[in-house]
Amino acid sequence: TRLGIAYAVMVFAMVLGGLNYNNNLGLGLAFLLVSLGLVAMHHCHGTLSGLALRLLATESAFAGQDVRFRLLLENRSRAPRPSIEVALETAASRPVDVPACGSAPAAVSVPAVRRGRVTLDRFVLSTRHPLGLFRAWAVVHPAYFAIAWPRPAEPGLAPPGVETDTGGAQD
């Protein structure tokens, strides 16, 4: 992340300064911060590791609206999984906290451009927990789909004319 790059530049500057001025206390602090960054990277990866995902339901909509896919994030470990984001690549989402040995609901909305079958081809499961220095993500390719129904006609419009079997049209 941007914060992680700034953190790495700062620690690198501290290492250079400590080496240049032969400052052991500065070097000790720099190496302590490097180890803190490595532990944060390990915990960021561990937050997503072992998380299970299941489809709860699909909410169909009319063409031109958003179709929602309701998902369930399941955590089978004894450690909680905070700040999990479930989103399409183009849209942001709210973070979801999954408790230890529990589950939490999440939702993904896909715009239905036209009527018919709307598929959820791929979405991203990500986290920046614990310090925001790293981002761990997994791209999920499910086989989920929902239906987008035809958009209803505007109220007050007359129905279209119907052809009869004699070739004429009725109004």
Side-chain angles (χ1 to χ4, degrees):
T1 63
R2 289 182 183 176
L3 180 64
I5 292 171
Y7 183 82
V9 168
M10 180 198 65
V11 170
F12 183 71
M14 287 178 68
V15 168
L16 283 180
L19 289 173
N20 189 36
Y21 292 110
N22 198 17
N23 187 347
N24 289 335
L25 191 59
L27 283 174
L29 179 61
F31 290 135
L32 180 70
L33 291 175
V34 167
S35 65
L36 177 71
L38 292 174
V39 169
M41 180 176 58
H42 176 72
H43 278 282
C44 186
H45 173 264
T47 302
L48 278 188
S49 181
L51 198 62
L53 183 72
R54 209 167 35 121
L55 178 68
L56 278 179
T58 60
E59 296 176 7
S60 300
F62 294 114
Q65 296 176 341
D66 287 346
V67 173
R68 288 188 47 172
F69 294 89
R70 292 188 346 204
L71 306 168
L72 185 69
L73 300 172
E74 295 177 334
N75 181 12
R76 295 185 183 108
S77 73
R78 286 182 270 164
R81 309 293 174 101
S83 300
I84 305 292
E85 297 176 6
V86 180
L88 297 175
E89 292 178 356
T90 58
S93 74
R94 293 183 334 181
V96 175
D97 294 336
V98 184
C101 297
S103 60
V108 176
S109 295
V110 177
V113 180
R114 58 183 166 276
R115 68 181 185 173
R117 190 177 201 175
V118 178
T119 59
L120 180 60
D121 293 326
R122 59 190 274 173
F123 61 92
V124 178
L125 201 65
S126 65
T127 185
R128 286 185 171 90
H129 178 75
L131 300 177
L133 299 177
F134 297 95
R135 177 179 178 255
W137 74 92
V139 180
V140 182
H141 298 275
Y144 303 151
F145 69 91
I147 301 295
W149 302 105
R151 185 179 6 215
E154 299 293 326
L157 291 178
V162 178
E163 290 190 23
T164 61
D165 55 354
T166 59
Q170 285 184 334
D171 286 332

